[in-house]
Amino acid sequence: MIRAVCFDVGETITHDDRYWAAWADWLDVPRHTVSALVGAVVAQGHDNAEALRLVRPGIDVAAEYAAREAAGRGEQLDETDLYDDVRPALAELRRLGLRVVIAGNQTARAGELLRALGLPADLVVTSGEWGVAKPSEEFFRRVIEVAEAAPGETLYVGDHPANDTLPAAAAGLRTAHLRRGPWGHLWADDPDVAAAATWRIDSLTELPGLVRP
């Protein structure tokens, strides 16, 4: 029985259009260039920040992020950044009596912005606030703690095999791989993902029917 459902953020709860467009504008390159480079590094199995390093070799991403914030061009999130299935799926899971947690590799600022949206979740927390990021074991130990359920009763939902599905399964959690975004689509039929995922889904609205007590 599933008692808690924990969600990744980028390309699970929110789409990354604004995020990458803002970086393209800051680096003064066409948005399509950054988008295409993100796809290229994803296909090679690299971290998506490598796209920024291809645009500007030697870039200090953290320093540039701080410079963007100082210039008033930092992170933004609002209702338009959410996928349409997020609110109905989370609300239904809570109606069924499950604990709903959002925990992903995001900055502390992103955590503030997500909480301001008033999502139907019991907890919203980010790696920036925890000081530990996926795919580390410590991140998923924290997930198990805040889920307030046993690992086998906790479902982690995400699109990224290397950050979500595989390490969550290794930590003993149940997993749902979401076919969404570059990672979700590209790696959806990978044998390792198929073996590690308890379920493979195309929409978050499938979850209540799968985990209904």
Side-chain angles (χ1 to χ4, degrees):
M1 178 181 292
I2 299 298
R3 300 185 183 277
V5 183
C6 184
F7 294 86
D8 168 50
V9 178
E11 292 303 337
T12 297
I13 296 296
T14 63
H15 51 77
D16 288 342
D17 304 45
R18 187 204 296 261
Y19 178 85
W20 292 114
W23 271 113
D25 294 347
W26 177 255
L27 297 175
D28 195 26
V29 294
R31 293 179 175 183
H32 174 69
T33 297
V34 171
S35 179
L37 288 173
V38 169
V41 299
V42 168
Q44 294 170 7
H46 299 315
D47 182 80
N48 53 20
E50 289 302 314
L52 302 179
R53 297 185 179 99
L54 289 171
V55 171
R56 183 179 292 177
I59 186 174
D60 183 331
V61 176
E64 289 295 326
Y65 177 89
R68 282 179 53 195
E69 290 287 341
R73 295 171 62 181
E75 281 188 271
Q76 298 294 324
L77 276 174
D78 60 33
E79 195 72 21
T80 65
D81 296 296
L82 297 176
Y83 277 102
D84 292 340
D85 57 0
V86 171
R87 287 191 181 277
L90 272 59
E92 180 62 11
L93 290 169
R94 293 187 82 190
R95 190 190 71 78
L96 292 172
L98 281 71
R99 180 169 171 80
V100 174
V101 173
I102 297 171
N105 275 359
Q106 309 293 133
T107 63
R109 173 60 176 158
E112 296 172 0
L113 294 169
L114 284 166
R115 287 188 288 273
L117 294 177
L119 293 167
D122 297 287
L123 177 69
V124 177
V125 67
T126 67
S127 60
E129 294 165 324
W130 273 346
V132 60
K134 296 181 291 186
S136 74
E137 294 179 7
E138 177 60 25
F139 181 94
F140 289 99
R141 281 196 289 270
R142 298 282 187 95
V143 166
I144 293 167
E145 289 175 5
V146 299
E148 300 180 2
E153 297 174 332
T154 302
L155 177 68
Y156 194 84
V157 183
D159 63 296
H160 198 307
N163 280 353
D164 301 326
T165 311
L166 301 179
L173 290 97
R174 308 286 289 280
T175 62
H177 180 260
L178 178 62
R179 188 191 294 266
R180 174 177 287 175
W183 297 267
H185 285 289
L186 185 61
W187 303 103
D189 297 320
D190 181 83
D192 290 337
V193 173
T198 310
W199 294 291
R200 290 185 288 169
I201 60 175
D202 295 312
S203 169
L204 299 183
T205 54
E206 297 175 42
L207 290 171
L210 295 172
V211 304
R212 190 180 305 273

